[in-house]
Amino acid sequence: MADRRWEIAKSCFPSRLAISQLLSAISSLTGITMTVAPSPAIDWAAVRADFPVLTREVHGKPLIYFDSANTGQKPDAVIATVDDFYRRHNANVSRAVHTLGTEATEAYEGARTKLARFLNVRSDELVLCSGTTFAINLVAYSWALPRLQPGDAIVLTRMEHHANIVPWQLVAQRTGAVIKVAELDELGRLDLDRLYALLTPEVKLLALTHVSNVLGTVNPVREICREARKRGIATLIDGSQAAPHLALDVAAIGCDFYAVTGHKMSGPTGTGALWARREHLEAMPPFIGGGEMIKEVRFEGTVFADGPRRFEAGTPNIAGFAGLGAAVDYLSALGMANIEAREQALLQRFNAALGEVPGLRIFGAAPGKAAVVSFLIEGAHAHDLATLLDLEGVAIRSGHHCAHPLMQHFGVPATCRASLAYYNTFEEIDAFVAALNKVRKLLA
Ligand code: PLP
């Protein structure tokens, strides 16, 4: 009976998260507790088989792809959707009344609807764009630049990606605003008392990452946004590293802006989105002008389109968004709670295995962290380690991870970073640690 109910619910609602949200709304209205039954076990080997690139060899060794924080791998469903778009539906969006034009528009707008549901936001508050970098720049130029004045402040954190630092520096230079930085504790968590002490009346915006791309720290964004809101401070959350790994409910976070990037969510590169509260979207002037973002253009002046389209000038990455729609379907079918649990199990094994590697220094040990592990081995340079690991078929990232201020905090120029995803395996972890021990001895 429970299975039957689940099948019916699944046919009506897009994801278990959406069903949980519906049930929790009914529960709070009726006082009757309702929950979703646990999912049937997922065959993770079958899931992995959906990713063609994971079958290849590198330098004669099976590829171990531990660089998903950099970009995620794509399942067949996404690759086939992009392929099918170009083979059967290719046309521009919103400009043609012919069948292909309608199909292209449906694919593009379908991605907006699916992503909005995935994030639990309204689709008419979701701007589609090329990724988080664009999304944050949009807020910087369209929301912050006209608002900020000399003496105003923007608060960032020590663990931000350059994409959530440099746009604010550019805006600060042009407005006379200043940037203040929230620091970390020894485990790589935000020091919340010190963060809240920074939230003084001249602060107009707090911009922070949901999950650190270097430390894996998951920030308590809901609590932080509540504190900021109490003080009348707007909040922007960089969700690049959260959307691929966590069951998100952006509406419940209570932020003003939330940015995501499709290529880390098993979707195509050049896709992403900015969610903004309606009141902000309505007040924000266009950032980039051109076709598609207007109602009427006269040489005397232009009337701009309403809602997200005002910020979507020009031909978008239509095939990419068709693929992102497929990626969101794929993640939703697996269930983000299942993905999170799978990645936590992988991380537990990874941490235990790394404990056996002599001379290893790990950066970031926040409880509940995501499956991102930055490390160094005594006496070895990060790039040398990553280069030798590549010869073993292992793909990890080495460098500053677009987080110079974090590297400065730790007093190192670079680290290695292994980042796992649901399609990785326990066997890969064992093979990785064996490879790491081998190259460690070579570099000793
Ligand atoms: N923010 C974080 C935390 C990231 O990890 C990344 C990418 O690595 C970005 C922003 C940049 O995102 P995009 O690739 O969409 O420009």
Side-chain angles (χ1 to χ4, degrees):
M1 181 59 189
D3 278 357
R4 177 81 193 113
R5 278 204 305 265
W6 168 236
E7 285 309 317
I8 294 166
K10 235 180 13 177
S11 66
C12 303
F13 295 99
S15 69
R16 293 179 70 81
L17 177 64
I19 295 167
S20 310
Q21 282 155 0
L22 178 76
L23 293 185
S24 89
I26 295 172
S27 301
S28 60
L29 284 175
T30 61
I32 302 165
T33 306
M34 301 174 99
T35 53
V36 183
S39 319
I42 290 176
D43 179 352
W44 291 107
V47 170
R48 181 182 171 83
D50 289 339
F51 291 78
V53 75
L54 299 179
T55 60
R56 71 164 282 185
E57 293 193 339
V58 170
H59 301 297
K61 309 267 171 62
L63 168 67
I64 297 177
Y65 187 77
F66 280 4
D67 199 18
S68 292
N70 211 350
T71 196
Q73 293 301 353
K74 325 300 177 201
D76 275 323
V78 170
I79 298 166
T81 301
V82 174
D83 181 80
D84 181 60
F85 179 82
Y86 283 126
R87 284 180 192 283
R88 292 179 40 78
H89 310 287
N90 182 45
N92 213 329
V93 287
S94 309
R95 289 178 190 162
V97 292
H98 58 69
T99 301
L100 267 59
T102 307
E103 289 170 2
T105 304
E106 280 169 6
Y108 181 69
E109 291 301 330
R112 193 194 310 273
T113 309
K114 289 172 185 184
L115 190 57
R117 241 185 247 142
F118 183 80
L119 299 172
N120 192 31
V121 296
R122 292 175 57 115
S123 60
D124 60 1
E125 296 176 349
L126 196 64
V127 180
L128 299 184
C129 61
S130 61
T132 303
T133 301
F134 188 97
I136 295 174
N137 275 277
L138 170 55
V139 180
Y141 284 93
S142 187
W143 182 86
L145 193 59
R147 253 178 199 74
L148 296 186
Q149 295 183 351
D152 285 343
I154 301 166
V155 172
L156 307 176
T157 84
R158 173 64 64 179
M159 67 173 86
E160 297 312 312
H161 187 282
H162 296 163
N164 200 22
I165 299 174
V166 181
W168 305 118
Q169 289 177 327
L170 293 172
V171 162
Q173 276 163 16
R174 287 172 59 173
T175 58
V178 295
I179 289 175
K180 301 202 240 172
V181 180
E183 296 294 345
L184 311 181
D185 68 13
E186 65 290 348
L187 296 180
R189 294 175 299 195
L190 284 173
D191 182 332
L192 292 180
D193 290 337
R194 285 169 74 196
L195 166 61
Y196 298 150
L198 289 178
L199 301 182
T200 49
E202 62 278 13
V203 177
K204 297 294 178 286
L205 177 75
L206 165 63
L208 79 155
T209 193
H210 194 162
V211 176
S212 162
N213 67 317
V214 179
L215 308 171
T217 309
V218 181
N219 287 319
V221 287
R222 202 168 166 164
E223 176 193 327
I224 292 171
C225 290
R226 193 174 53 234
E227 290 300 318
R229 211 164 179 72
K230 268 195 227 161
R231 296 162 172 82
I233 296 168
T235 44
L236 176 141
I237 308 295
D238 173 352
S240 307
Q241 299 289 347
H245 307 293
L246 306 178
L248 283 181
D249 182 347
V250 170
I253 291 172
C255 54
D256 290 272
F257 304 98
Y258 198 96
V260 295
T261 195
H263 72 98
K264 296 184 201 286
M265 301 167 62
S266 297
T269 52
T271 62
L274 172 74
W275 171 77
R277 278 183 194 280
R278 177 183 292 265
E279 74 238 39
H280 295 318
L281 271 191
E282 281 173 358
M284 282 159 61
F287 170 38
I288 289 178
E292 294 301 316
M293 45 77 77
I294 51 87
K295 276 185 187 154
E296 188 182 7
V297 179
R298 290 175 182 270
F299 280 115
E300 297 75 34
T302 290
V303 183
F304 301 114
D306 295 324
R309 300 186 116 240
R310 187 146 38 123
F311 306 101
E312 295 175 10
T315 300
N317 179 2
I318 311 165
F321 279 103
L324 182 60
V328 167
D329 284 343
Y330 187 84
L331 295 177
S332 303
L334 286 176
M336 291 310 295
N338 295 324
I339 287 176
E340 203 178 326
R342 164 77 176 170
E343 292 178 350
Q344 283 301 311
L346 289 168
L347 177 64
Q348 222 173 34
R349 169 80 152 261
F350 197 42
N351 280 336
L354 287 176
E356 308 292 313
V357 180
L360 193 82
R361 175 181 175 197
I362 290 182
F363 299 81
K369 65 178 269 184
V372 175
V373 180
S374 291
F375 63 91
L376 280 175
I377 289 189
E378 217 178 322
H381 194 282
H383 291 311
D384 294 342
L385 271 168
T387 305
L388 289 177
L389 282 170
D390 179 58
L391 296 176
E392 301 298 317
V394 175
I396 60 163
R397 183 160 176 203
S398 58
H400 51 68
H401 316 295
C402 298
H404 272 154
L406 193 55
M407 298 296 117
Q408 288 147 14
H409 171 78
F410 287 114
V412 295
T415 70
C416 291
R417 180 186 70 186
S419 51
L420 278 55
Y422 57 95
Y423 42 70
N424 290 124
T425 66
F426 296 101
E427 293 72 26
E428 284 183 308
I429 290 171
D430 297 341
F432 170 83
V433 172
L436 189 59
N437 270 323
K438 182 173 164 188
V439 305
R440 179 180 60 80
K441 285 178 194 146
L442 288 175
L443 290 169

